[in-house]
Amino acid sequence: MPKRVLSGTVVSDKLDKTIVVIVTRQVRHPKYKKIIKRSKKYSVHDEANKHNVGDIVTIQECRPYSKNKKWIVFDSKEKSPASKEQLGNKE
């Protein structure tokens, strides 16, 4: 069975080796046929702690690391401009 791959935005990086990624999808309402946005948060393992809030990442399903953490960072699509500015302000 292939592992699921999802894409989303990092909303929290306060935990050690863990980021929270929100994945948004669009579904059609069964009765009214309107397109609705549905979102879900995933706890994702980030070994190097290199992803910041606002980054767009691709996550992949894996073995359980903890009770809620069953995903790893598969690919990093783009860095958020806010994270680059934060690095500049710390110098």
Side-chain angles (χ1 to χ4, degrees):
M1 183 173 206
K3 296 179 180 179
R4 291 184 291 171
V5 176
L6 301 173
S7 181
T9 306
V10 178
V11 292
S12 176
D13 61 349
K14 295 180 190 256
L15 302 168
D16 186 32
K17 296 185 180 180
T18 303
I19 57 175
V20 179
V21 176
I22 190 164
V23 176
T24 305
R25 61 189 178 93
Q26 293 181 342
V27 296
R28 183 179 296 272
H29 191 279
K31 182 175 179 180
Y32 300 114
K33 311 301 184 210
K34 181 178 177 177
I35 302 295
I36 306 168
K37 288 184 181 178
R38 297 284 185 213
S39 58
K40 185 173 179 181
K41 291 182 181 179
Y42 293 94
S43 293
V44 181
H45 185 68
D46 180 20
E47 183 67 34
N49 283 326
K50 66 178 184 177
H51 297 93
N52 297 314
V53 174
D55 294 353
I56 297 175
V57 295
T58 303
I59 60 175
Q60 182 181 21
E61 196 173 27
C62 67
R63 67 177 180 85
Y65 280 93
S66 67
K67 178 182 174 183
N68 297 322
K69 196 162 53 166
K70 299 168 182 71
W71 296 82
I72 58 169
V73 177
F74 183 66
D75 188 23
S76 181
K77 290 187 179 178
E78 66 181 64
K79 292 282 187 183
S80 71
S83 63
K84 292 177 186 174
E85 291 173 7
Q86 291 171 355
L87 293 175
N89 292 337
K90 289 182 180 178
E91 293 176 339

